[in-house]
Amino acid sequence: MNLPDDIILSLYEKMVATRLFDLKVKELVEKGHRILYHSGIGQEAIPTGVCAHLRREDYLIPYHRGWGYMIAKGMDMGRILAELMGRVNGYCRGKSGTHMACFELGVLGKTGIVGAGLPIAVGAALSAKMRESGQIVACFFGEGASNTGAFHEALNMAAVWRLPVVFVCENNLYDMYTPYLEVTSVANIADRASAYGMPGEVVDGQDVLAVYEAARRAVARARRGDGPSLLECKTYRWYGHFAGDEHHYGGYRSVEEVEAWRARCPIRGLREYAISKGIPAEELDLIEERVRAKVEEAERFALGSPEPGPRVALEDVYA
Amino acid sequence: MSSREITYAEAIREALREEMARDERVFLIGESINYGLFGVTAGLREEFGSERVRNAPISEAAIVGAALGAAITGMRPVAEIMFADFLFCAMDSIVNQVAKWRYMIAGQANVPLVIRAPQGSGFGMGCHHSQSPEWVFAHFPGLKVVAPSTPYDAKGLLKASIRDDNPVIFFEHKMLYRMRGPVPEGEYLIPLGRADVKREGSDATIVATSLMVHRALEAAAELAGEGISVEVIDPRTLSPLDRGAILGSVRKTGRLIIAEEACRTGGFGAEVAAIAAEEAIDALDAPIRRVAAFDVPIPSGGLEEAIIPKAEDIANAVRAAIEAKGRRGIGPAPDARSHPPSDYPWPT
């Protein structure tokens, strides 16, 4: 594989933005801001590598971990942060928080129920197919979701109707505090695809180029009208399941295991690859500097945005 | 206006056909709807094709979830859940996703979908094929809940539900599918949230929906022979509920009886009673009475008749309310239907 420099740089920028944004949220949570925080740090390669193949009008169903999908789809970090902080200039006027959507960019909203997003992705894909719009759907979820009924119902339905969906499983090896193999019958979630007659592929989720390549095939298949695929990206979250998880480092995960995965940082991996390809380190540093400034600007925007009045809580129940 | 009479099932099929012909975004999704268990959708596949009359796997959660995904991206799905009892298999999709999605995304898209669900007892099919869970769904903000009692109402309300930009759960009563009634051939809509006075009267108000409207009308006819004039109010939609129509009738008659097919605790009757107590207690001449199913699962076979209200039960509740005249404030009269009575013939 020989990717043009501009794609490498774009992947790098998106991953760095995802990382720095996540760290900013972490910092704000630690300062006491009321934000529902499920860190995606360590898993940046997956949303970045997949969303690189999506068009503006394509649909995205994110899941609870991280904000890489939203950033990669083009959502503005200031408005994402404002929404997370319950401010009126957020994407949903501060009433939605982590569930936020951006229909202009095809981001359809994020359910808080594990697995529930998959059937909704199937419906969006059915709609795209019936309207012959050429749109596809990328649907993200964790390995835990693959044990819900909704996962199995959705994969069967998408396969039998040959719908344009790419199911992306981020397997970070833990269902909250439970090692996934303690509660899951197969080591590879991708194997479950064969039960539904669709291709399933295990991907190194720490290697953004591997994710990019696998997603390219799955997205092309969906666009051709050949139906859904299941990508399982093996990965690891550096921090806890949520802000209050005190057991992630030396508790249910050994310190050695966490450190071994942290050594496989997806951003450092791409940086080393870029330098080996002759991209100057200074150019990468410049990107980081620019992104850092954007994240600071996002924070200023969010903190400067007013809180919504109580009336907003009463709006939007019915059309 | 035409005096044509068709069945409740035919009225529903006609509404579906007209709306599908009018708007190509409308499509049907459900289990074996190529014929339909109750035959409601029969023939539509021949007319509109298998893409728009889409047989789904036995996956209620995904049927409703997919309907949601389609609705927020430009389609107007009409999902069928074969029995209302099976709505519970899709409870997360309905209650956590469909009902809340518009709110969650701050109105960036509407959720124009309908879930049709055959409800009710009468066929002796037991506890998983006979329930009337309308009120369960009326509890959740974001949903609309419709339960028509006549062919005329079924057609006009279903057409309005399909055109509504909100999710609507449309309960069809299995025992009413073969009931015939006048349905004009021309186009008409019945707005959601507007009650219908099914019979006018002056001595007592019965509020009932769906099958219970007919049992209430039967009771009212019997009571007329005793000189008691009964008004029967059919809200037709449980959410939004036409509180004005109910309160107006209660203020006129001074007595309120609610007849419901579901079991009693925390149900439709409780809500209507609470509304009357909050807004019109000064107008009441007798304690409010609920006539509901016993708080037990629905048994199979003929035993279901032992727990579902009959016309006679409703008539007795009205008689008790009439006898209670002048006892305002003295406390509730005994209500035999609150729980199985102590002499209830339990099987041994």
Side-chain angles (χ1 to χ4, degrees):
Chain A
M1 182 180 41
N2 199 7
L3 286 180
D5 285 0
D6 62 332
I7 290 183
I8 293 171
L9 292 172
S10 161
L11 293 172
Y12 189 75
E13 178 173 347
K14 292 282 169 28
M15 282 205 292
V16 169
T18 299
R19 169 78 49 94
L20 295 180
F21 182 84
D22 203 310
L23 286 170
K24 178 57 73 182
V25 178
K26 187 169 189 289
E27 178 191 320
L28 290 165
V29 168
E30 283 162 2
K31 279 184 186 162
H33 288 278
R34 195 163 54 181
I35 300 174
L36 185 56
Y37 176 57
H38 295 101
S39 172
I41 290 178
Q43 305 186 189
E44 296 90 346
I46 304 159
T48 304
V50 172
C51 294
H53 299 283
L54 300 184
R55 299 173 183 161
R56 183 186 168 90
E57 66 272 19
D58 286 334
Y59 295 127
L60 179 69
I61 297 279
Y63 81 123
H64 58 275
R65 191 158 302 291
W67 296 275
Y69 342 87
M70 297 180 182
I71 291 168
K73 200 77 171 63
M75 286 172 69
D76 174 73
M77 288 191 285
R79 291 189 66 195
I80 298 173
L81 193 55
E83 185 59 42
L84 290 174
M85 297 179 77
R87 305 303 172 99
V88 77
N89 292 328
Y91 275 99
C92 296
R93 283 179 283 136
K95 74 193 303 176
S96 179
T98 188
H99 301 294
M100 79 188 85
C102 175
F103 270 63
E104 275 172 46
L105 294 170
V107 181
L108 299 179
K110 182 161 108 176
T111 173
I113 305 296
V114 168
L118 282 93
I120 300 169
V122 168
L126 174 61
S127 161
K129 187 178 183 186
M130 291 182 80
R131 290 182 286 111
E132 298 177 353
S133 68
Q135 294 160 292
I136 69 147
V137 185
C139 176
F140 290 84
F141 51 93
E143 78 289 342
S146 79
N147 289 328
T148 65
F151 167 91
H152 295 276
E153 290 191 4
L155 261 68
N156 177 64
M157 198 177 260
V160 79
W161 293 337
R162 292 169 76 88
L163 298 178
V165 197
V166 179
F167 294 107
V168 185
C169 175
E170 300 192 356
N171 183 354
N172 65 17
L173 315 184
Y174 290 86
D175 300 9
M176 208 170 103
Y177 305 158
T178 305
Y180 83 106
L181 286 174
E182 199 177 314
V183 292
T184 306
S185 61
V186 290
N188 292 331
I189 307 303
D191 292 351
R192 291 185 161 166
S194 68
Y196 302 104
M198 73 172 76
E201 187 176 343
V202 177
V203 184
D204 178 357
Q206 302 311 98
D207 179 353
V208 70
L209 301 177
V211 175
Y212 183 88
E213 266 310 292
R216 190 181 55 72
R217 290 189 291 274
V219 167
R221 177 180 150 84
R223 277 206 212 287
R224 281 197 309 271
D226 288 346
S229 311
L230 172 61
L231 301 181
E232 178 197 6
C233 304
K234 304 277 197 197
T235 188
Y236 205 77
R237 58 173 151 82
W238 287 12
Y239 297 113
H241 162 69
F242 73 119
D245 176 356
E246 294 168 350
H247 316 291
H248 66 94
Y249 192 70
Y252 60 91
R253 311 188 304 182
S254 73
V255 168
E256 296 73 26
E257 181 186 289
V258 177
E259 292 304 328
W261 276 94
R262 287 179 71 136
R264 295 201 57 227
C265 170
I267 297 176
R268 194 162 67 226
L270 183 64
R271 185 180 173 92
E272 284 164 5
Y273 173 80
I275 290 169
S276 78
K277 285 252 304 170
I279 295 175
E282 298 73 39
E283 199 172 338
L284 299 168
D285 293 342
L286 220 60
I287 288 176
E288 268 187 56
E289 241 174 74
R290 199 166 65 228
V291 169
R292 204 174 290 280
K294 278 189 192 165
V295 170
E296 295 306 316
E297 171 55 31
E299 182 186 15
R300 276 193 300 277
F301 175 82
L303 289 172
S305 170
E307 291 183 356
R311 205 182 154 73
V312 167
L314 305 180
E315 295 168 345
D316 303 318
V317 181
Y318 292 98
Chain B
M1 186 161 289
S2 151
S3 61
R4 179 184 68 143
E5 289 207 343
I6 60 174
T7 67
Y8 184 91
E10 286 164 347
I12 291 166
R13 187 184 311 130
E14 201 166 89
L16 292 171
R17 180 186 290 121
E18 287 178 13
E19 292 305 301
M20 290 181 81
R22 174 182 175 271
D23 185 345
E24 62 178 15
R25 297 171 299 175
V26 177
F27 73 97
L28 312 185
I29 177 171
E31 295 157 10
S32 291
I33 56 169
N34 49 344
Y35 296 98
L37 179 63
F38 297 99
V40 173
T41 49
L44 294 175
R45 193 174 239 209
E46 287 69 22
E47 203 171 333
F48 297 103
S50 56
E51 286 283 301
R52 289 181 72 197
V53 182
R54 186 172 284 268
N55 279 344
I58 301 174
S59 302
E60 283 82 7
I63 290 170
V64 176
L68 170 59
I72 58 176
T73 56
M75 302 297 284
R76 304 185 76 88
V78 179
E80 178 180 303
I81 297 297
M82 192 181 286
F83 283 87
D85 313 69
F86 306 168
L87 289 168
F88 298 126
C89 303
M91 207 59 175
D92 176 67
S93 296
I94 297 169
V95 170
N96 278 328
Q97 316 305 333
V98 165
K100 296 169 176 55
W101 209 266
R102 187 178 194 282
Y103 186 81
M104 200 177 88
I105 61 174
Q108 290 183 45
N110 293 328
V111 184
L113 67 83
V114 176
I115 301 170
R116 296 178 38 244
Q119 66 158 114
S121 60
F123 285 89
M125 288 188 281
C127 59
H128 295 154
H129 293 74
S130 308
Q131 294 171 85
S132 293
E134 313 90 274
W135 189 254
V136 172
F137 297 93
H139 173 74
F140 293 103
L143 300 174
K144 294 188 177 182
V145 178
V146 180
S149 64
T150 66
Y152 177 86
D153 288 351
K155 183 177 174 186
L157 288 166
L158 182 53
K159 284 170 68 79
S161 298
I162 293 171
R163 291 190 204 180
D164 200 290
D165 280 333
N166 297 288
V168 178
I169 309 192
F170 192 90
F171 287 91
E172 302 166 5
H173 203 292
K174 299 190 281 282
M175 288 294 281
L176 297 178
Y177 275 138
R178 291 184 181 173
M179 183 195 151
R180 300 185 77 80
V183 175
E185 295 190 45
E187 159 101 3
Y188 69 96
L189 300 170
I190 298 174
L192 306 191
R194 197 168 301 170
D196 187 37
V197 181
K198 290 287 193 266
R199 179 188 175 111
E200 287 194 17
S202 54
D203 296 329
T205 297
I206 305 175
V207 175
T209 60
S210 197
L211 180 68
M212 286 299 132
V213 170
H214 301 283
R215 298 207 172 155
L217 289 169
E218 210 181 305
E222 191 183 317
L223 292 163
E226 300 166 22
I228 300 171
S229 167
V230 172
E231 182 146 294
V232 177
I233 302 285
D234 177 3
R236 301 193 287 198
T237 65
L238 289 87
S239 174
L241 184 64
D242 189 345
R243 299 159 61 103
I246 294 168
L247 292 169
S249 181
V250 168
R251 289 204 168 278
K252 181 169 92 172
T253 66
R255 295 180 190 84
L256 173 62
I257 294 90
I258 305 116
E260 56 188 318
E261 187 170 338
C263 52
R264 176 185 176 95
T265 299
F268 170 66
E271 180 63 24
V272 173
I275 291 169
E278 283 176 341
E279 308 281 337
I281 200 159
D282 55 302
L284 289 169
D285 291 327
I288 299 164
R289 282 158 196 281
R290 288 179 285 164
V291 185
F294 291 135
D295 285 328
V296 297
I298 299 179
S300 291
L303 256 187
E304 68 181 17
E305 287 167 26
I307 70 147
I308 305 291
K310 295 184 276 291
E312 192 54 28
D313 300 317
I314 301 170
N316 283 338
V318 175
R319 288 185 190 109
I322 297 291
E323 284 162 18
K325 185 171 173 64
R327 301 199 326 186
R328 190 190 310 190
I330 290 178
D335 183 341
R337 293 210 74 90
S338 61
H339 287 288
S342 55
D343 61 347
Y344 188 74
W346 294 108
T348 49

